[in-house]
Amino acid sequence: MLELLRPKRGGFLRPFGCGWFIREFLSGNGPIGSPSIDPGQGAPQAEIFYHYKTSLLGAIALDRATRQEERVAKREKRRISPENIERLTERHLAQIPYKSTSCRYHSFVVYFSNLQRLGWVEFTGKEEPSAFQDNYPAGYPRKYFRLTAAGSAASDADWANPLFALYGGS
């Protein structure tokens, strides 16, 4: 019997997972076009979140552009043009609202706190001041986090569902 690989309800919501992105980003690999960082120094949560969101938007725009170019090329009976895909990707990227992709900052902070409880990420001790605007008091300091040895050793399945790794399944 052939069983399709897809969720029963909804659909595949993201091209890549948040946990995978955090692990790759803090490892210094610069996943999906994000900048490479020094793994020993780490990065603040807000910066990790920003690069996750922009990478997610870029992947969604590329997927939409590729599907659109495939449809048009099939209809016009021509080859797929990488130049058209690049042009369409830029157009889609400009049209996708930043908040339209699923993850919000609060959800990210909660997810990240679970990673801290598991001991997969740790505070490096480095902080830098943050300021909102000139008229407001100084905000909370930006704390830098790095990947731990336990985080590097954790399986992909655990990174995909840290709550299951934290509390176990029953």
Side-chain angles (χ1 to χ4, degrees):
M1 179 173 96
L2 179 66
E3 186 175 328
L4 296 176
L5 179 63
R6 67 177 181 198
K8 293 183 188 276
R9 290 186 57 213
F12 294 106
L13 301 176
R14 295 178 196 93
F16 51 88
C18 185
W20 173 85
F21 183 85
I22 292 171
R23 181 175 59 184
E24 292 297 311
F25 188 79
L26 291 178
S27 296
N29 297 334
I32 319 290
S34 63
S36 301
I37 63 162
D38 177 18
Q41 181 180 351
Q45 279 185 12
E47 187 175 320
I48 299 168
F49 176 72
Y50 171 76
H51 291 298
Y52 171 63
K53 287 286 280 196
T54 54
S55 296
L56 194 59
L57 289 170
I60 290 169
L62 178 62
D63 183 51
R64 288 180 184 175
T66 304
R67 282 188 277 126
Q68 183 179 356
E69 174 62 14
E70 286 173 348
R71 280 193 309 268
V72 170
K74 185 177 181 180
R75 187 175 349 116
E76 296 176 354
K77 294 182 171 66
R78 62 172 172 80
R79 292 184 177 187
I80 294 172
S81 168
E83 293 82 23
N84 285 348
I85 292 175
E86 288 178 25
R87 182 181 48 79
L88 290 169
T89 300
E90 291 302 318
R91 185 187 313 161
H92 284 294
L93 196 54
Q95 293 174 349
I96 299 172
Y98 181 77
K99 289 188 175 184
S100 71
T101 55
S102 52
C103 188
R104 300 288 193 266
Y105 187 67
H106 181 265
S107 300
F108 183 83
V109 169
V110 171
Y111 189 93
F112 204 84
S113 71
N114 289 328
L115 300 180
Q116 286 178 290
R117 279 192 240 145
L118 285 164
W120 295 351
V121 294
E122 66 183 0
F123 175 54
T124 63
K126 180 181 178 184
E127 291 182 351
E128 64 183 27
S130 64
F132 299 110
Q133 294 176 350
D134 294 336
N135 306 12
Y136 293 99
Y140 292 106
R142 293 167 39 103
K143 296 181 178 185
Y144 281 68
F145 291 89
R146 68 176 160 231
L147 191 64
T148 63
S152 296
S155 70
D156 289 341
D158 287 342
W159 272 97
N161 192 351
L163 283 176
F164 190 79
L166 191 60
Y167 299 116
S170 52

